[in-house]
Amino acid sequence: MSSKSQQVSVGITKTFPCSYLDTQMEQLLMLQEESIDINLFEQLLSLGFRRSGGTIYKPQCPHCNACLPIRIPSASFTPSRRQKRTLKNNRDLVWKIIGKQADYHYTLYETYINQRHSDGPMYPASKEQYQHFIGSGWLDPVFIELWNADKLVGVAVTDILPNSLSAIYSFFAPEEHKRSLGSLLILLQCRLAKLMKKDFVYLGYQIDESRKMNYKRDYTPYQILTSSGWLQTPDEK
């Protein structure tokens, strides 16, 4: 934490219907601060917290513990055969990193949400919602862009921290779904972490019972946060 005193606002939400499990109610422990040291934020990530905009949160559900914080040790990660095919099949794409969001990012985000997630809590997409979700007054993410010639087909919004990368959100052109661009963007974040000599890529929460959120175990080896700390799975490919 920085030498300046920081007054962090701590609260817990009321319960509300879970976005991922129809039979469950969700509740969040939330931390809000106008400015927070990124080293402290990284420590909070290691304790299972995430950020949405400038709000730091952690599931605190009364009757459910399905959300499992998951991260990939970048040095030991290697793509599976299927993931290698995804990389090979997308060799025609160009990826680059920019440090500032652009208007054309939102255009792709709006199309992605409205076509792929019309049954989710982020529908319908709006610029205000996008800015609130992505932006933060104390941490500027980077944007990993995927280009097919002059067409933007994917974006991964990523926080770069002293010892890790944190995947905030990815979105891509719905018509390119056969390319497995969601998987490709995770693989690129893993590659970037290894190039930058970062220890981990944080992927948020693995929810085994949710079809939309149970894919993160495909990236091995991975670590799951348990009551005994971070436990690593066997390196199986």
Side-chain angles (χ1 to χ4, degrees):
M1 186 181 300
S2 67
S3 59
K4 295 181 180 180
S5 62
Q6 295 187 7
Q7 295 182 351
V8 180
S9 175
V10 181
I12 190 164
T13 67
K14 295 181 179 179
T15 57
F16 53 94
C18 180
S19 303
Y20 300 104
L21 300 177
D22 294 337
T23 60
Q24 297 293 341
M25 298 296 290
E26 185 175 353
Q27 193 171 37
L28 301 175
L29 176 64
M30 303 182 73
L31 311 177
Q32 289 186 303
E33 168 59 37
E34 291 184 2
S35 178
I36 191 167
D37 184 85
I38 60 172
N39 291 283
L40 174 58
F41 175 57
E42 190 167 42
Q43 292 176 30
L44 290 170
L45 275 180
S46 72
L47 295 174
F49 285 85
R50 297 285 291 166
R51 82 163 179 90
S52 176
T55 300
I56 300 169
Y57 69 93
K58 182 180 182 181
Q60 198 79 6
C61 305
H63 305 295
C64 179
N65 57 0
C67 290
L68 304 174
I70 186 170
R71 68 187 185 185
I72 301 171
S74 58
S76 55
F77 171 74
T78 55
S80 65
R81 286 189 291 270
R82 181 177 180 181
Q83 291 159 0
K84 287 177 180 177
R85 285 196 299 271
T86 296
L87 291 167
K88 181 179 179 181
N89 293 339
N90 288 289
R91 287 182 299 181
D92 58 321
L93 302 183
V94 174
W95 65 286
K96 62 181 181 178
I97 302 169
I98 66 172
K100 186 177 181 180
Q101 60 178 294
D103 290 341
Y104 56 81
H105 292 162
Y106 174 74
T107 302
L108 181 61
Y109 172 84
E110 181 180 43
T111 300
Y112 174 79
I113 293 295
N114 291 349
Q115 293 189 23
R116 295 269 302 192
H117 294 288
S118 59
D119 60 342
M122 298 165 75
Y123 176 85
S126 71
K127 285 189 176 181
E128 181 181 7
Q129 172 233 46
Y130 174 75
Q131 293 291 346
H132 180 75
F133 173 52
I134 299 300
S136 167
W138 46 267
L139 181 59
D140 293 324
V142 300
F143 300 82
I144 302 174
E145 298 179 343
L146 281 176
W147 289 87
N148 185 357
D150 59 352
K151 177 185 177 184
L152 180 72
V153 295
V155 175
V157 186
T158 309
D159 286 340
I160 297 182
L161 301 165
N163 299 301
S164 62
L165 267 58
S166 179
I168 301 301
Y169 199 68
S170 296
F171 47 95
F172 55 86
E175 67 273 14
E176 301 283 359
H177 63 93
K178 292 183 179 180
R179 286 182 175 270
S180 300
L181 294 181
S183 176
L184 177 63
L185 288 165
I186 292 178
L187 294 170
L188 291 178
Q189 288 172 93
C190 291
R191 179 180 293 178
L192 180 61
K194 186 171 291 190
L195 290 172
M196 297 181 72
K197 300 187 184 306
K198 304 294 185 181
D199 293 332
F200 302 105
V201 177
Y202 286 88
L203 294 183
Y205 301 112
Q206 162 74 16
I207 306 176
D208 291 339
E209 300 171 35
S210 170
R211 180 180 58 83
K212 294 180 179 179
M213 295 288 286
N214 65 4
Y215 61 90
K216 298 173 185 177
R217 290 187 187 268
D218 293 339
Y219 302 85
T220 59
Y222 57 81
Q223 297 179 355
I224 293 287
L225 183 60
T226 72
S227 58
S228 301
W230 288 95
L231 299 182
Q232 184 158 311
T233 59
D235 185 6
E236 296 180 357
K237 294 295 180 182

